[in-house]
Amino acid sequence: MRTIRIFDTTLRDGEQSPGCSMNLQEKLEMTSRLEALRVDVIEAGFAASSPDDFKAVKTIAETVKTCYVASLTRSIEADIEHTWDALKNAQSPLIHVFLATSPIHMEYKLKMPPEKVLERAAESVRFAKKFCPEVEFSAEDATRSDWDFLAKIFSSVIEAGATVINVPDTVGYTTPQEMTELINYLNANVNGIEKIILSVHCHNDLGMAAANTLAAVKAGASQAECTVNGIGERAGNAALEEIALALRTKRDYFGAETNIDTRRIYRASRVLSHIIGMTPSANKPIVGANAFAHEAGIHQHGVLANRNTYEIMRPEDIGIPSGKMVLGKHSGKHAFEDRLVSLGFDLGKDELKKAFGQFKTLADRKKDVSDDDIIALISDKSLEIDSGYRCVRFVVNSGSTIPAMAAIRLEKDGVETEDSSTGDGPINAVFNAIDRITDKHYTLLDYSIRAVTEGEDALGEATVKLGRGNEIVTGRGLSTDIIEASIKAYLSGINKLALKNGDKK
Ligand code: KIV
Ligand code: ZN
């Protein structure tokens, strides 16, 4: 059995796609989920791309204890040095250098001839190696590169000290058969390939990211790059959960396994969805709401007679809560704490106290508090921003024969302000009233509301996306009252945007 190294790039390739950006606190929350999943490498960001990314990579590098922490860097000496500054305190750092190798990228993006690219790649790896024992080299757009050139460049970066070589299918263009042939070709033609880790990084533009990754693994690749829920540029990256479960379910076929604790997948997926406000589609493999639902009578009959008739995986394999054990308003702190531990949350004393208070408030409004409610509550609590606007109280009037009207009182830095507005429905009215107080400096790009769990008293989760210039932030709010959830989401977005821009708005 080979063990395939799982390189998670949720915080870099995932985070860099539109609408998926995360602030430091959110990245740290996700880092805990990734460590609990037991990924082998966490790519924490692109340190030299911005001061925020630098800070995130540095903080994650100083936090993570159980796996490698990587940062992507361009093949530029100043960037590599800066990247090392962010990574140097990590227990196990990894510098990830990339350079494009396809004819179209070399000619139009890099404006460099192939010989220069070859030289720059080796120089960059040699330079990175001065700082860090673990250096990965990615040949961007590898699958549209000339194979002979690719073999040459990989041979030369291995000679320069690369410990991992990565084959990105940057634009999601390849097929499983082609990937198999490419990996076979590289295995036969790259000097020194037997002493390094051969990695693949697939995008999902044609819906084949997981299949291409698995084809590469079958052909001998020993590292898979992926993201939770498959988030990433355009159609996303190969999904961690699909790769981990495919390798687990078809272990004998692949002759390979991973270190992933699959029972942590559901929680990691839910926490990420809460953070970025993007829920996987219902039919998404493994983590979609219908992934384990048997609706058709004939299927239900078969599953009741023998689960294996229609189930190749069990919900418990990925940690889907059974839903049998619910907490309620009579549950004590110990029961709540026990449940948090079994869900993989490790809160400090103060955080626990605060979370318990929020749980009690929720339990007063909602009869049964399920695991899904607790996951939502904890994700919400961990993303709270202490500064900025807070809702003191609100009143909303709406109906089919009157225009919706809202009045709201907000507090910021000890000062309370009140205003009111009409609107096209209650949410629009209350958002308009908030805009009048906050001196609107953002655009509402998206708004959604969904129930966290089933039932009439379900917790509602509102998500807004707010934009200002190039910045897009996600705000979330939770409440059994959907207007309150929407207000919280809107204010959390406004506060995040203000924090991001370092302004006083
Ligand atoms: O898709 C890609 O080519 C990448 C590399 C930079 C690894 O994300
Ligand atoms: Zn990528």
Side-chain angles (χ1 to χ4, degrees), residues 180-440:
T180 303
E181 285 162 18
L182 175 57
I183 298 297
N184 288 341
Y185 179 86
L186 294 174
N187 266 323
N189 293 284
V190 173
N191 300 330
I193 198 162
E194 64 295 339
K195 56 183 192 206
I196 54 91
I197 292 174
L198 176 57
S199 171
V200 281
H201 173 114
C202 299
H203 280 266
N204 206 28
D205 298 67
L206 293 171
M208 288 186 276
N212 289 334
T213 305
L214 292 164
V217 165
K218 180 80 177 151
S222 47
Q223 175 173 288
E225 301 199 353
C226 47
T227 60
V228 175
N229 293 351
I231 66 165
E233 294 275 11
R234 306 177 309 280
N237 288 55
L240 180 148
E241 61 276 8
E242 293 174 22
I243 293 164
L245 266 290
L247 291 176
R248 187 181 196 272
T249 309
K250 296 187 65 79
R251 203 166 169 266
D252 295 338
Y253 172 75
F254 285 106
E257 57 192 2
T258 68
N259 291 323
I260 295 295
D261 180 353
T262 59
R263 291 162 311 161
R264 304 284 178 171
I265 283 179
Y266 181 75
R267 282 158 242 168
S269 163
R270 295 304 293 248
V271 169
L272 179 65
S273 306
H274 289 305
I275 292 177
I276 60 173
M278 207 184 268
T279 309
S281 63
N283 62 340
K284 166 93 176 60
I286 323 293
V287 292
N290 290 351
F292 292 93
H294 298 282
E295 286 291 334
I298 193 164
H299 286 204
Q300 287 176 349
H301 179 73
V303 169
L304 285 174
N306 180 336
R307 289 179 82 164
N308 294 337
T309 48
Y310 286 100
E311 261 187 14
I312 57 165
M313 301 166 279
R314 292 167 310 163
E316 52 270 36
D317 293 342
I318 65 154
I320 292 185
S322 68
K324 284 188 197 112
M325 298 266 288
V326 289
L327 298 178
K329 68 176 176 185
H330 299 300
S331 305
K333 199 163 170 195
H334 282 302
F336 178 65
E337 194 176 355
D338 276 357
R339 185 58 55 84
L340 284 183
V341 171
S342 76
L343 289 173
F345 293 103
D346 178 18
L347 302 191
K349 211 169 152 203
D350 291 346
E351 282 177 313
L352 180 65
K353 198 170 159 206
K354 207 165 158 191
F356 185 62
Q358 285 169 320
F359 159 73
K360 280 293 196 191
T361 310
L362 177 62
D364 273 340
R365 296 169 94 171
K366 191 175 186 297
K367 194 166 141 270
D368 294 331
V369 179
S370 69
D371 286 351
D372 270 332
D373 289 323
I374 295 175
I375 294 172
L377 197 72
I378 296 300
S379 317
D380 191 49
K381 187 206 62 55
S382 65
L383 311 177
E384 264 170 21
I385 292 179
D386 293 331
S387 62
Y389 290 102
R390 187 181 61 82
C391 175
V392 180
R393 58 173 179 260
F394 68 92
V395 181
V396 174
N397 261 319
S398 102
S400 56
T401 53
I402 49 159
M405 233 211 64
I408 191 160
R409 175 176 281 257
L410 301 182
E411 182 268 334
K412 188 185 173 194
D413 302 331
V415 181
E416 294 193 4
T417 321
E418 197 169 285
D419 216 322
S420 59
S421 178
T422 53
D424 190 7
I427 307 290
N428 183 240
V430 81
F431 284 4
N432 286 344
I434 292 174
D435 292 344
R436 289 168 63 93
I437 299 174
T438 58
D439 184 20
K440 189 177 180 193

Side-chain angles (χ1 to χ4, degrees), residues 450-494:
R450 65 173 199 101
V452 171
T453 45
E454 290 157 11
E456 285 178 8
D457 61 353
L459 200 51
E461 180 179 60
T463 305
V464 299
K465 296 227 184 277
L466 295 184
R468 175 155 98 168
N470 291 331
E471 306 278 17
I472 298 179
V473 293
T474 303
R476 316 175 36 239
L478 272 184
S479 174
T480 46
D481 173 331
I482 58 165
I483 297 182
E484 186 177 50
S486 305
I487 293 171
K488 283 185 175 176
Y490 202 49
L491 292 179
S492 110
I494 291 169

Side-chain angles (χ1 to χ4, degrees), residues 9 12-13 16 168-170 201-203 233 237:
T9 182
R12 197 277 299 170
D13 220 351
Q16 85 190 34
D169 185 25
T170 303
H201 173 114
C202 299
H203 280 266
E233 294 275 11
N237 288 55

Side-chain angles (χ1 to χ4, degrees), residues 109-124:
K109 190 181 83 172
L110 298 177
K111 300 192 183 355
M112 275 163 75
E115 314 77 66
K116 190 83 195 114
V117 170
L118 195 67
E119 211 178 284
R120 172 76 72 82
E123 278 167 13
S124 302

Side-chain angles (χ1 to χ4, degrees), residues 12-13 72 96 98 138 140-141 166 168 170 201 203 225:
R12 197 277 299 170
D13 220 351
L72 187 68
H96 180 188
F98 78 101
S138 280
E140 190 187 10
D141 207 15
N166 184 34
T170 303
H201 173 114
H203 280 266
E225 301 199 353

